[in-house]
Amino acid sequence: MSYKEMLLGLSSETQATMPYAELCVMRSSAFAEHVGAMEVPTRLKEWAAIMQARYGRKVKVWHAVQTSWLVALMIVRYGEAIEHWPGAFSDDDVRRAVKWEQGEMPAGVTYIPQADGLQLACYAVALLCVALGIIHGSGFWGLAAFPFLLGTAMTDYLENKLADHIFRTTTFTQPSVLAMALYTAAPGETGGGTEVSGGSYARVSNNPANANWNGTHGNTTGASSGTGGQVSNAGAMTFPTPSANWGSVTHFGIHDATSAGNLLIYGALTAAKTVNNGDPAPSFQAAALTVTFA
């Protein structure tokens, strides 16, 4: 049985009880098998060779183990849940790789220092930088902004909607719902990922409203008038108390619906945290989540 078959054969409940490091190793092996069976376009072969020459043979995405450039591209595009990966590279994959080669580095990527000790700077470039609280003991607690630590990003969906709204003729209707989700496998630019399920888990809504979000001036009163371009949640956002193991929570996402819907923004927590049955209800405290327009 292949690693991919083994991984896909594991239930979410079983994965929730696995040591996170062991799960990462299994995912890495499954990713390599999947990409090894794909036909690689010439331009992607060239891209992988160029990136390897610049930055080394391996690269890291989010909390994953070091991996090849083609696997990294797939994680960036489709997330860490391999069931969402396509069987063939698309033209959009090639275009994203070329933009990466030209300097548009995806969120969550860490270059591995070369053998000569050269330290390569890692800066996640994104229109929106979302600073999030780290999971801690009794829940998610506020943490200083870390827009360049592991990185956050808008999905292709939101990027396209904003591009059309600002520069073209198709308007984007403000979502009536903003729902926070937790993930045990990273989503990607196209969505995907593995959201927590079962064990009383549910997304937490913090819908668009002045009372729910501090403006750029730091409070809920009136229109934004600050100079830093940052908004934050005005009150705590608390998830249900786990009634079963949720697994190793590694990422978050902001959706436009309390179930299904469209993923708008996603990113990594500073460290994976195992959430088990009976743990205190995880909660993002007031102002723990900030969105910065930069």
Side-chain angles (χ1 to χ4, degrees), residues 1-19 22-27 30 82-83 194:
M1 181 180 292
S2 69
Y3 282 104
K4 181 179 177 181
E5 291 172 331
M6 286 192 292
L7 183 61
L8 293 177
L10 295 176
S11 67
S12 58
E13 292 79 9
T14 300
Q15 292 190 39
T17 62
M18 292 179 62
E22 180 181 331
L23 183 59
C24 284
V25 170
M26 180 174 286
R27 284 176 180 165
I82 200 169
E83 59 267 28
T194 301

Side-chain angles (χ1 to χ4, degrees), residues 12 81 84 179-185 187 192-198 201-204 239 246 253 255 257-260:
S12 58
H84 297 295
M180 175 67 65
L182 301 176
Y183 286 82
T184 57
T194 301
E195 187 175 354
V196 173
S197 63
Y201 167 82
R203 295 177 185 173
V204 177
F239 291 85
W246 288 5
H255 294 252
T258 55
S259 63

Side-chain angles (χ1 to χ4, degrees), residues 239-257:
F239 291 85
T241 300
S243 60
N245 294 343
W246 288 5
S248 294
V249 177
T250 60
H251 290 73
F252 72 95
I254 300 176
H255 294 252
D256 60 8

Side-chain angles (χ1 to χ4, degrees), residues 30-281:
F31 295 160
E33 285 180 350
H34 186 101
V35 169
M38 299 172 75
E39 183 176 349
V40 183
T42 300
R43 183 62 182 90
L44 282 185
K45 291 179 181 176
E46 295 172 349
W47 169 79
I50 290 170
M51 300 303 281
Q52 181 173 320
R54 286 180 184 174
Y55 305 111
R57 293 180 61 252
K58 299 291 184 179
V59 63
K60 186 176 181 180
V61 184
W62 302 121
H63 301 294
V65 296
Q66 299 177 21
T67 189
S68 71
W69 287 95
L70 290 174
V71 168
L73 176 64
M74 293 293 284
I75 295 174
V76 165
R77 293 285 295 148
Y78 303 104
E80 292 177 331
I82 200 169
E83 59 267 28
H84 297 295
W85 286 23
F89 290 104
S90 68
D91 290 341
D92 284 338
D93 297 335
V94 176
R95 282 190 284 269
R96 184 64 184 91
V98 171
K99 289 198 294 184
W100 190 349
E101 176 187 323
Q102 294 172 344
E104 191 174 318
M105 179 179 169
V109 172
T110 302
Y111 295 143
I112 308 302
Q114 301 277 10
D116 62 3
L118 176 63
Q119 299 297 314
L120 301 174
C122 175
Y123 295 100
V125 179
L127 178 62
L128 292 179
C129 294
V130 181
L132 198 63
I134 186 173
I135 305 177
H136 184 272
S138 60
F140 296 90
W141 293 92
L143 187 71
F146 55 91
F148 300 115
L149 181 58
L150 288 177
T152 58
M154 291 187 292
T155 57
D156 289 347
Y157 170 83
L158 183 57
E159 288 178 348
N160 291 333
K161 292 296 184 182
L162 293 178
D164 282 348
H165 182 81
I166 296 173
F167 297 104
R168 304 179 77 234
T169 58
T170 302
T171 58
F172 177 51
T173 302
Q174 180 186 30
S176 60
V177 172
L178 292 176
M180 175 67 65
L182 301 176
Y183 286 82
T184 57
E189 294 173 341
T190 62
T194 301
E195 187 175 354
V196 173
S197 63
S200 302
Y201 167 82
R203 295 177 185 173
V204 177
S205 295
N206 199 49
N207 297 335
N210 284 5
N212 290 342
W213 294 92
N214 296 312
T216 61
H217 54 302
N219 60 62
T220 61
T221 304
S224 289
S225 58
T227 59
Q230 183 181 93
V231 300
S232 64
N233 59 307
M237 297 183 293
T238 303
F239 291 85
T241 300
S243 60
N245 294 343
W246 288 5
S248 294
V249 177
T250 60
H251 290 73
F252 72 95
I254 300 176
H255 294 252
D256 60 8
T258 55
S259 63
N262 300 293
L263 177 61
L264 306 176
I265 299 167
Y266 64 96
L269 305 180
T270 52
K273 170 64 178 180
T274 300
V275 180
N276 290 321
N277 181 18
D279 282 352

